[in-house]
C-alpha cells in the first residue's frame, strides 16, 4: 500500500516501510513537508510494518529546511497565539515531535543517507536507530552559518553518539563532514555504494526485523508474560 503526499511518500515493501522525502531536486523541508509528515506518522503508527527505512527520492536525502518558508511559519505562529507563551513556538514543537516519533517506535528505523543531508534533514536522520550512508554523501548542521541553531533536536541526539565536544564543534562551526567521518565519530553505522544504499538498507531492515520477531521478542514475552499473554 502506498500513500503519496506532495512532499513525502510512504510505501509498504513486504512488511518494511519505505518513507521517501519527495520534493526534488533537493527535497527541501518546507512548512507543507512538516504538516504532511505529521499526518503521515498517524498512519505509520498503525501500519503494522516491522521496520522502516527513511530516504530521499532522487540523488539527495534532503538539503534541510527551507529557511525563509519556515521562518515565516514560525513568525505567523507567534503572532497568532491567543496567549503569550514562554516556550518555543507550537510549530517548532510539533516539528520536533514528528521527528522524535521515529526514535520512539518499537521497531527498527534506518536512515539511508545519500547526496546531501544537511540541517533539519540530518536531525531527522539522527532520530533513526541506524544511519547508513552512500559513498559521496555530505552531512552537516549549517544552521550556525545563518545565525541560527538546530531546531529539531540535534543538540540532544548528537552528543550521545559522538560526545559532547565533537557535537558542540559540529553545531557551532556548521562544518560539513563525510560518511567516513560520520562512521569514525559514531554518527553513522555503515557506508555502501550509493546505488546499493537503499536496497541494502531495506535488506538490513528485513533481516533485523526477522531477528527481533524470532529471537528477541519470544524472550521478552516469556520473561514478562510467563502465562503467554501479550
Amino acid at each position: 500500500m502506498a500513500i503519496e503526499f506532495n512532499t513525502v511518500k510512504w510505501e509498504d515493501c513486504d512488511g518494511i516501510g519505505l518513507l521517501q522525502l519527495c520534493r526534488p531536486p533537493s527535497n527541501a523541508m518546507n512548512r507543507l513537508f512538516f504538516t504532511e509528515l505529521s499526518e503521515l506518522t498517524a498512519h505509520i503508527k498503525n501500519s503494522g510494518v516491522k521496520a522502516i527505512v527513511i530516504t530521499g527520492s532522487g540523488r539527495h536525502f534532503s538539503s534541510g529546511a527551507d529557511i525563509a518558508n519556515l521562518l515565516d511559519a514560525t513568525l505567523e505562529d507567534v503572532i497568532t497565539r491567543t496567549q503569550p507563551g514562554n516556550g518555543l513556538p507550537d510549530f517548532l514543537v510539533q516539528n520536533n515531535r514528528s521527528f522524535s516519533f521515529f526514535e520512539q517506535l518499537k521497531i527498527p528505523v534506518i536512515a539511508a543517507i545519500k547526496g546531501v543531508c544537511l540541517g533539519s534533514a540530518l536531525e531527522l536522520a539522527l532520530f533513526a536507530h541506524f544511519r547508513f550512508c552512500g559513498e559521496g554523501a555530505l552531512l552537516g548542521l549549517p544552521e550556525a552559518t545563518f545565525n541560527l541553531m538546530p531546531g529539531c533536536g540535534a543538540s540532544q541526539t548528537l552528543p550521545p553518539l559522538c560526545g559532547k565536544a565533537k557535537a558542540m564543534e559540529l553545531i557551532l562551526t556548521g562544518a560539513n563532514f563525510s560518511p567516513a567521518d560520520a562512521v569514525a565519530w559514531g554518527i553513522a553505522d555503515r557506508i555502501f555504494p550509493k546505488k546499493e544504499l537503499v536496497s541494502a538498507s531495506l535488506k538490513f531492515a528485513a533481516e533485523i526485523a526477522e531477528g527481533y520477531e524470532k529471537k528477541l521478542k519470544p524472550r521478552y514475552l516469556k520473561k514478562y508474560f510467563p502465562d503467554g499473554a501479550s
Side-chain angles (χ1 to χ4, degrees):
M1 178 180 179
I3 299 177
E4 190 165 358
F5 290 89
N6 290 300
T7 66
V8 66
K9 178 181 178 181
W10 169 261
E11 185 176 1
D12 186 334
C13 302
D14 296 323
I16 304 301
L18 179 61
L19 176 61
Q20 296 185 73
L21 284 63
C22 300
R23 193 175 174 231
S26 65
N27 300 323
M29 298 172 166
N30 60 359
R31 183 174 189 174
L32 181 59
F33 163 79
F34 283 102
T35 299
E36 293 182 342
L37 181 64
S38 178
E39 293 178 10
L40 188 56
T41 56
H43 169 79
I44 294 174
K45 187 175 182 179
N46 300 306
S47 66
V49 296
K50 298 178 180 179
I52 294 173
V53 173
I54 304 174
T55 192
S57 64
R59 296 176 55 191
H60 303 292
F61 188 92
S62 169
S63 60
D66 182 333
I67 295 177
N69 180 271
L70 293 182
L71 284 177
D72 287 344
T74 303
L75 180 60
E76 179 182 330
D77 181 282
V78 173
I79 292 173
T80 58
R81 282 187 180 185
T82 56
Q83 295 180 350
N86 295 322
L88 291 170
D90 294 340
F91 177 70
L92 294 181
V93 173
Q94 181 56 50
N95 293 353
N96 178 263
R97 288 175 180 167
S98 295
F99 281 10
S100 63
F101 164 84
F102 295 98
E103 181 184 48
Q104 296 165 10
L105 287 173
K106 299 185 184 300
I107 57 174
V109 179
I110 300 99
I113 300 170
K114 56 183 176 178
V116 299
C117 181
L118 303 174
S120 296
L122 180 55
E123 291 188 277
L124 173 58
L126 290 172
F127 278 111
H129 305 123
F130 301 90
R131 279 157 296 281
F132 295 166
C133 294
E135 292 176 346
L138 183 69
L139 301 85
L141 296 165
E143 285 88 347
T145 63
F146 299 97
N147 295 320
L148 300 170
M149 288 294 289
C152 289
S155 59
Q156 285 75 50
T157 56
L158 193 57
L161 296 173
C162 63
K164 182 178 179 180
K166 177 57 69 174
M168 290 180 64
E169 175 189 339
L170 294 175
I171 291 172
L172 295 177
T173 64
N176 295 332
F177 52 96
S178 69
D181 289 333
V183 171
W185 297 333
I187 298 172
D189 301 287
R190 300 184 187 181
I191 303 172
F192 292 95
K194 57 185 178 181
K195 291 184 178 180
E196 300 174 12
L197 173 65
V198 175
S199 60
S201 299
L202 289 169
K203 180 180 178 182
F204 175 84
E207 290 174 349
I208 197 171
E210 181 180 5
Y212 171 74
E213 290 290 324
K214 289 185 176 181
K215 299 176 183 178
L216 298 182
K217 187 175 181 181
R219 293 181 188 177
Y220 174 87
L221 293 176
K222 184 176 181 180
K223 179 178 180 180
Y224 293 101
F225 302 98
D227 297 328
S230 60

